């Protein structure tokens, strides 16, 4: 049985997230149906994370098992003929038996985009959060710096999937402005439900003066979700980088 990893990219606007849902169209279901047509049997995709409804992925990794002998270099072309235009497989790799798209992932990066201008741009609808009030990226960076390190992030997560621990390690959080676009890039060893979007909302609150950057440490220690910023809209969030490390293989997807 072969273990195949797919590297893909998708626009999440039309989908109810990654994971299969009883009544909604999802990326996982769409990919599984396309793959079944190519390999000739039903497959189960293991994705690298449960992206929410409307969230996008510049890079995403999923793996599945098959006895099909189709060469991996032909898989992307074959799959893309059965996929809608907003989901594209860019690469396929044959992986060791123990590889798992989520279990073998040691770090992830999400990027949140804010279109920060007085006038909206229709080309960024569902691609970036339109925010007309000017945001000071330097204040946002000062707040973002407080998230770096190992902390309990219960204050910036929504109630959802049960987890054993709300402690995570954030390796970097970078705020950058290019014209009217603010890019908020955060890398961690894992993310809680809505954590990336709540962190972005907290940086916006800091720029608005509702939270002082130096207060974030106390907010994290208190674990009070109501003290942090709001969960911002899904359309501005992208999964952008992934790091994998197993005894057999090590690679970085960006």
């Amino acid at each position: 049985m072969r273990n195949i990893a797919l590297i893909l990219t998708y626009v999440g606007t039309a989908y109810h997230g990654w994971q299969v849902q009883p009544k909604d169209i999802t990326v996982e279901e769409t990919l599984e149906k396309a793959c079944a047509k190519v390999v000739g049997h039903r497959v189960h995709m293991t994705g690298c994370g449960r992206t929410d409804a409307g969230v996008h992925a510049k890079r995403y990794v999923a793996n599945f098992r098959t006895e099909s002998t189709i060469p991996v270099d032909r898989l992307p072309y074959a799959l893309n003929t059965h996929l809608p235009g907003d989901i594209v497989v860019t690469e396929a790799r044959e992986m060791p038996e123990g590889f798992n798209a989520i279990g073998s992932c040691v770090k992830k990066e999400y990027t949140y985009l804010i279109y920060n201008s007085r006038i909206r741009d229709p080309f960024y609808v569902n691609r970036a959060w339109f925010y007309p009030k000017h945001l000071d990226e330097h204040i946002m960076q000062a707040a973002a710096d407080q998230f770096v390190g190992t902390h309990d992030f219960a204050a910036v997560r929504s109630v959802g999937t049960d987890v054993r621990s709300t402690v995570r390690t954030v390796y970097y959080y970078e705020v950058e402005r290019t014209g009217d676009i603010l890019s908020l890039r955060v890398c961690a060893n894992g993310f809680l439900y809505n954590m990336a979007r709540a962190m972005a909302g907290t940086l916006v609150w800091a720029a608005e003066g509702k939270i002082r950057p130096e207060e974030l440490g106390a907010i994290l220690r208190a674990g009070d979700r109501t003290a942090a910023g709001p969960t911002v809209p899904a359309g501005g969030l992208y999964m952008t980088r992934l790091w994998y490390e197993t005894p057999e293989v090590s690679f970085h997807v960006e």
Side-chain angles (χ1 to χ4, degrees):
M1 187 74 73
R2 302 164 72 199
N3 187 10
I4 306 295
L6 302 176
I7 299 172
L8 57 146
T9 182
Y10 60 83
V11 174
T13 305
Y15 303 96
H16 200 77
W18 162 262
Q19 191 171 15
V20 171
Q21 302 291 329
K23 297 181 181 179
D24 297 298
I25 299 173
T26 66
V27 179
E28 180 184 10
E29 177 187 16
T30 305
L31 186 59
E32 286 179 349
K33 287 181 177 179
C35 194
K37 293 176 182 178
V38 172
V39 301
H41 62 82
R42 292 181 63 182
V43 300
H44 170 68
M45 291 283 171
T46 298
C48 61
R50 293 179 59 183
T51 56
D52 297 328
V55 173
H56 317 293
K58 289 280 191 178
R59 292 293 180 267
Y60 193 92
V61 175
N63 73 292
F64 70 99
R65 286 172 168 76
T66 182
E67 293 181 349
S68 170
T69 58
I70 184 170
V72 289
D73 60 338
R74 289 178 52 193
L75 268 174
Y77 303 100
L79 287 167
N80 289 333
T81 62
H82 298 286
L83 286 169
D86 50 10
I87 302 174
V88 175
V89 176
T90 59
E91 186 181 348
R93 301 182 183 186
E94 192 149 356
M95 306 302 290
E97 172 62 26
F99 176 83
N100 179 285
I102 190 166
S104 303
C105 187
V106 295
K107 291 194 296 185
K108 299 174 185 177
E109 180 194 81
Y110 280 97
T111 300
Y112 195 85
L113 299 183
I114 301 174
Y115 188 74
N116 189 210
S117 172
R118 293 181 62 188
I119 305 296
R120 70 175 70 247
D121 186 331
F123 291 98
Y124 283 103
V125 172
N126 295 322
R127 301 292 191 278
W129 182 29
F130 170 60
Y131 201 87
K133 183 179 179 180
H134 180 73
L135 298 170
D136 188 322
E137 64 270 26
H138 303 294
I139 294 175
M140 295 175 77
Q141 183 63 68
D145 290 342
Q146 308 306 305
F147 285 129
V148 177
T150 301
H151 308 285
D152 186 330
F153 285 96
V156 284
R157 73 134 177 184
S158 298
V159 175
T161 306
D162 290 333
V163 293
R164 293 181 180 179
S165 172
T166 51
V167 174
R168 297 291 186 271
T169 298
V170 170
Y171 300 105
Y172 59 80
Y173 202 148
E174 299 171 350
V175 179
E176 181 180 357
R177 177 182 288 276
T178 304
D180 292 326
I181 293 291
L182 284 168
S183 300
L184 283 55
R185 291 188 300 273
V186 56
C187 174
N189 62 353
F191 288 84
L192 302 167
Y193 183 49
N194 280 342
M195 175 175 157
R197 290 161 60 190
M199 294 169 88
T202 302
L203 299 194
V204 171
W205 266 24
E208 289 185 339
K210 295 179 180 179
I211 298 174
R212 295 196 305 273
E214 60 270 22
E215 293 177 327
L216 284 185
I219 291 173
L220 291 177
R221 288 191 294 273
D224 182 1
R225 179 68 190 91
T226 63
T231 300
V232 294
L237 186 61
Y238 298 74
M239 182 177 283
T240 44
R241 292 183 184 179
L242 297 155
W243 288 260
Y244 283 90
E245 191 73 48
T246 72
E248 300 90 355
V249 64
S250 174
F251 66 98
H252 175 204
V253 179
E254 66 174 331

